[in-house]
Amino acid sequence: MATLLMAIMIILLLLGFPMMIPLIVASVVGFVMMFDGFGQMGTFVQQMMAGIRPASLIAVPMFILAADIMTRGQSADRLINMVMAFIGHIKGGLAISTATSCTLFGAVSGSTQATVVAVGSPLRPKMLKAGYSDSFTLALIINASDIAFLIPPSIGMIIYGVVSKTSIAELFIAGIGPGLLILVMFSLYCLYYAHKNNVPTEPKASWPERLTASRRALWPLFFPVIIVGGIYGGIFSPTEAAAVCVLYAFLLEFVVFRSLKLPQLYQIAKSTGMITAVVFILVAVGNGFSWILSFAQVPQAILESVGVNDAGPIGVMVAISIAFFIACMFVDPIVVILVLTPIFAPAIAATGLDPVLVGVLITLQVAIGSATPPFGCDIFTAIAIFKRPYMEVIRGTPPFIFMLVVAAGLIITFPQIALFLRDLAFPD
């Protein structure tokens, strides 16, 4: 049955249907096959509703709303200008500034697509003018934006936490180390690329200019402080942190910066509502689809057929990495997390793996797959925003994908990269 359902999804995807349609059709076909008709469809609807019932999911639309407000306002530009003022003048500094800005805005928004728009739109023309190739520039933007999956707040981590019943606060803290590791790796590659291709440097900013840029970026820099500091200090939960971020983003852009007007709030809310609707439909149907697979004992059959049940902790993590990496090359990350996490749950429990470590690894693999051909979602975001052909967008991605795979290997080999800060923040 699993083979048939996957075939249905792949065929519908290739025909150009949005992800929710193949998932709904496959779920309904699977339900009819199991229960011989539509008579008990109410059970499936109940499972769908159960998927969107957890209170933690309230954080998702609020982080999306906060990101939308900041993307349309001045927060992204102020962060970019601050980074450029300090490192824009060194060899490869513009590329490093792009990667760093993606990381900072990811720590503010939690959305890869918002990061591609907010950072890529102003910095891509500057990189092209400075002598960087478009394929390198596009690959850097879409891959560095995926650090937003790891740096809190992370919508992917929220979904994983809900599905696996893992502490979202612990996941947020654990994602910081791997996110910074990837930023360092990308920065070193940017240095190598700039020296190899003799890319000219930018003019060096004076200290008064740096102080001005830092002062202008001070308010946006409080976003990660609010999120991480508030959760770490026990002031509020991740969901409450999302609500505070919305309020802070509103006050910042509408009152302090005055970059937005109240009439624009309707369009922002409308955009957030549409994105949230798609996300929650995927979450609901994905939960129903996972229930069908579990009811048919598909996870047990898959794990037994590939020998994961007999593997140790390292083997299970490698199997998880491969499965999530390949799946996200074809399917929306949220759906992959919803469908595959329950499949691997028995093996994770049997080997005694830390669910927070597994969550960080899964989130990283989701990030890699999202920027990997043929159907990585961030690739098509870049195509839509920058109006560039598919082959040009993906041409420069292999070095970045390689670095991300190396980062995953390091996390598997040295789990404390992810768990060190978590253990400090949440000692047993």
Side-chain angles (χ1 to χ4, degrees):
M1 182 179 72
T3 303
L4 173 62
L5 299 186
M6 292 301 173
I8 291 173
M9 291 178 64
I10 292 172
I11 290 171
L12 291 177
L13 279 172
L14 292 175
L15 290 175
F17 288 95
M19 186 62 226
M20 67 179 72
I21 302 301
L23 194 58
I24 291 172
V25 173
S27 300
V28 171
V29 170
F31 187 88
V32 171
M33 289 174 62
M34 281 198 311
F35 294 98
D36 297 324
F38 295 91
Q40 301 183 52
M41 187 57 72
T43 304
F44 178 66
V45 174
Q46 289 176 352
Q47 293 298 322
M48 289 175 58
M49 296 305 297
I52 57 175
R53 193 171 293 134
S56 300
L57 286 176
I58 297 174
V60 173
M62 286 192 285
F63 279 130
I64 293 173
L65 177 57
D68 206 349
I69 293 173
M70 290 180 288
T71 302
R72 296 169 188 251
Q74 294 183 5
S75 295
D77 288 338
R78 290 174 179 242
L79 291 172
I80 291 169
N81 291 337
M82 182 197 69
V83 175
M84 284 289 297
F86 282 92
I87 60 177
H89 65 281
I90 66 174
K91 197 75 168 178
L94 183 56
I96 297 173
S97 298
T98 301
T100 305
S101 299
C102 287
T103 303
L104 283 176
F105 194 76
V108 170
S109 68
S111 168
T112 58
Q113 283 84 359
T115 304
V116 169
V117 175
V119 178
S121 297
L123 283 183
R124 176 173 169 265
K126 291 184 179 180
M127 290 188 65
L128 295 179
K129 185 178 180 180
Y132 292 91
S133 69
D134 205 10
S135 59
F136 171 83
T137 301
L138 292 169
L140 174 64
I141 291 170
I142 62 175
N143 283 278
S145 296
D146 284 339
I147 300 176
F149 266 114
L150 291 164
I151 297 289
S154 166
I155 293 174
M157 284 184 173
I158 294 173
I159 301 298
Y160 170 83
V162 169
V163 174
S164 64
K165 296 179 175 56
T166 303
S167 168
I168 296 173
E170 292 188 32
L171 287 167
F172 276 5
I173 299 298
I176 295 175
L180 295 178
L181 170 65
I182 294 168
L183 173 60
V184 170
M185 296 173 71
F186 283 5
S187 298
L188 291 174
Y189 178 67
C190 290
L191 284 171
Y192 165 77
Y193 180 93
H195 279 88
K196 179 184 177 183
N197 294 276
N198 197 27
V199 177
T201 58
E202 296 289 304
K204 186 176 181 178
S206 65
W207 276 106
E209 289 173 331
R210 291 175 177 177
L211 291 174
T212 299
S214 298
R215 187 172 64 250
R216 285 174 54 81
L218 187 62
W219 288 111
L221 285 173
F222 271 107
F223 276 100
V225 174
I226 290 172
I227 296 167
V228 178
I231 295 172
Y232 173 80
I235 301 173
F236 37 65
S237 68
T239 303
E240 293 165 342
V244 173
C245 277
V246 172
L247 176 62
Y248 188 70
F250 178 85
L251 293 176
L252 211 58
E253 301 295 352
F254 283 89
V255 179
V256 179
F257 298 158
R258 297 184 181 179
S259 57
L260 300 175
K261 303 296 182 183
L262 278 177
Q264 294 175 268
L265 190 59
Y266 170 76
Q267 289 298 329
I268 294 172
K270 181 180 177 181
S271 172
T272 299
M274 293 177 66
I275 296 172
T276 301
V278 173
V279 170
F280 272 61
I281 290 172
L282 290 174
V283 171
V285 182
N287 191 73
F289 187 71
S290 298
W291 173 76
I292 291 172
L293 295 180
S294 299
F295 192 87
Q297 295 188 327
V298 171
Q300 294 85 336
I302 292 176
L303 295 179
E304 189 173 324
S305 64
V306 299
V308 173
N309 285 330
D310 299 324
I314 299 295
V316 171
M317 286 194 287
V318 171
I320 288 172
S321 298
I322 294 172
F324 277 82
F325 173 69
I326 294 175
C328 283
M329 291 166 60
F330 300 93
V331 183
D332 186 273
I334 292 176
V335 176
V336 173
I337 294 173
L338 290 166
V339 173
L340 291 189
T341 300
I343 289 178
F344 284 98
I348 294 169
T351 52
L353 284 168
D354 190 323
V356 173
L357 174 62
V358 174
V360 172
L361 187 62
I362 286 175
T363 306
L364 175 55
Q365 295 302 332
V366 164
I368 300 172
S370 298
T372 303
F375 299 119
C377 62
D378 285 343
I379 293 173
F380 293 97
T381 301
I383 291 172
I385 293 169
F386 303 124
K387 304 294 190 296
R388 303 309 302 161
Y390 177 85
M391 290 306 299
E392 186 173 327
V393 172
I394 68 171
R395 187 177 297 123
T397 57
F400 294 98
I401 294 172
F402 174 76
M403 286 183 280
L404 289 168
V405 171
V406 170
L410 290 173
I411 292 171
I412 293 174
T413 308
F414 306 104
Q416 284 304 307
I417 293 173
L419 299 180
F420 175 71
L421 289 177
R422 190 284 306 268
D423 292 341
L424 284 179
F426 298 94
D428 292 333

